[in-house]
Amino acid sequence: MTRFHSEMQRIREYIHNLDSKVIDTNHGSIEYARTGDGYPILAVHGNAGGFDQGLMMANKTIDAKFQVISVSRFGYLRSSIPKKASVAMQADSYASLLDSLNIGKTAIVGYSAGSTSSIQFTLRHPERVSALILVFPAAPGKGPIMPKAIFNIFRVLVFSSF
């Protein structure tokens, strides 16, 4: 087994051991992991991972006294990609997840590329949001963009292995 394959196997085992769950919503399946018992905070990951990245970032930025619900956005890990997927649909899937967990109101933290759907969740479901926090937001607009060729290589190496 090559070093790459052994590292990917280690990563798969690590993610599997994080004990995530998958629920079905009107917009497809959504994977999430839940840690802690305090006030709920929905953590939305960036481009480099799924719920696992959300948990990693939350461990670095959110106090342990809070409950963290970390989701995998559409197409990441075990979350599906619905037909005609949109950022608005992604935001609505967060509301469905919170409904299934009996959580009425939450703070939401959008890390990097997770900022866009976090903003959309706040706009579409303001009664459910106590706070919106954006960490290194990568929202739509002008700014540096990773060249497509590099992103495609990154996507193939990282995401096709899961």
Side-chain angles (χ1 to χ4, degrees):
M1 184 178 285
T2 67
R3 181 174 172 208
F4 170 79
H5 288 99
S6 62
E7 284 294 311
M8 291 306 297
Q9 182 61 34
R10 185 184 62 76
I11 291 167
R12 281 189 207 95
E13 289 171 8
Y14 169 77
I15 291 171
H16 177 75
N17 289 331
L18 291 174
D19 195 31
S20 67
K21 295 177 176 47
V22 177
I23 65 156
D24 289 319
T25 73
N26 293 339
H27 307 291
S29 60
I30 186 168
E31 182 177 24
Y32 72 97
R34 194 175 186 181
T35 62
D37 297 316
Y39 187 84
I41 298 178
L42 184 63
V44 183
H45 66 87
N47 277 342
F51 79 90
D52 58 313
Q53 184 196 44
L55 286 178
M56 180 188 70
M57 295 300 294
N59 285 337
K60 294 178 181 193
T61 59
I62 299 173
D63 193 282
K65 69 182 177 185
F66 293 98
Q67 175 187 178
V68 172
I69 301 113
S70 182
V71 299
S72 288
R73 294 186 294 128
F74 289 158
Y76 284 84
L77 301 177
R78 296 189 296 161
S79 288
S80 63
I81 302 176
K83 290 182 179 178
K84 298 185 181 180
S86 68
V87 178
M89 188 185 292
Q90 179 74 82
D92 292 343
S93 74
Y94 301 159
S96 295
L97 171 63
L98 295 175
D99 289 345
S100 75
L101 298 175
N102 295 315
I103 295 173
K105 199 166 201 165
T106 185
I108 184 165
V109 179
Y111 298 98
S112 188
S115 297
T116 306
S117 59
S118 298
I119 292 167
Q120 197 62 223
F121 178 76
T122 303
L123 293 171
R124 295 175 68 80
H125 304 278
E127 73 286 353
R128 302 200 72 168
V129 178
S130 59
L132 168 64
I133 301 119
L134 304 176
V135 180
F136 299 114
K142 293 185 178 184
I145 298 173
M146 185 184 302
K148 188 174 182 177
I150 292 173
F151 183 79
N152 285 339
I153 291 168
F154 175 74
R155 181 178 50 83
V156 168
L157 289 176
V158 175
F159 300 114
S160 66
S161 299
F162 293 100

